[in-house]
Amino acid sequence: QVQLVESGGGLVQAGGSLRLSCAASGRTGSSYARGWFRQTPGKEREFVAAISWSGGRTSYADSVKGRFTISSDNAKKTVYLQMNTLKPEDTAVYYCAAARTVDWRVVTTSSEYDYWGQGTQVTISS
């Protein structure tokens, strides 16, 4: 089992920045692709960003390209999501996830993820 714990959410004004962190613990000996998703009430969870275990490949939703950056520190078993130029429509609960896979692969579909964090609320005021 792998446990994921997100942190860094909060309330910021539009145009501001936040940095989310997701720390992993438990059986982390295998390679895991890591991803961030978000969800608002009444809507399905949507993909935000993902990174391969090796860190060499990343993928972003079109809505966040150029504003969000995903990165990882495998020594710390932590993945980050730097969010800049935030917009009110970025308001959501953000979840991190881990998927057992080969070290070069990026995973963008939620159904392929094996482990999920509890989520952290991000609220952007206009």
Side-chain angles (χ1 to χ4, degrees):
Q1 286 289 338
V2 173
Q3 293 79 43
L4 303 174
V5 178
E6 302 99 335
S7 61
L11 170 66
V12 298
Q13 288 187 331
S17 298
L18 280 174
R19 188 196 195 201
L20 305 183
S21 299
C22 176
S25 62
R27 294 187 176 183
T28 57
S30 302
S31 60
Y32 289 90
R34 307 290 291 276
W36 287 96
F37 290 75
R38 64 189 183 186
Q39 189 169 23
T40 54
K43 293 188 177 181
E44 291 190 357
R45 194 168 296 187
E46 68 170 349
F47 169 72
V48 175
I51 189 167
S52 61
W53 172 253
S54 66
R57 297 186 179 191
T58 58
S59 180
Y60 296 92
D62 288 343
S63 60
V64 306
K65 278 181 182 176
R67 300 188 298 122
F68 291 11
T69 303
I70 188 170
S71 62
S72 61
D73 184 338
N74 286 347
K76 295 183 179 180
K77 301 179 182 180
T78 301
V79 65
Y80 305 96
L81 185 67
Q82 178 65 44
M83 306 186 295
N84 298 329
T85 318
L86 284 161
K87 304 175 181 180
E89 51 263 44
D90 293 318
T91 295
V93 176
Y94 283 71
Y95 298 90
C96 74
R100 291 188 302 268
T101 186
V102 293
D103 62 0
W104 52 263
R105 188 166 173 249
V106 172
V107 179
T108 62
T109 54
S110 60
S111 60
E112 292 193 71
Y113 279 89
D114 302 293
Y115 303 101
W116 293 85
Q118 82 288 348
T120 186
Q121 177 70 47
V122 171
T123 304
I124 312 304
S125 63
S126 57

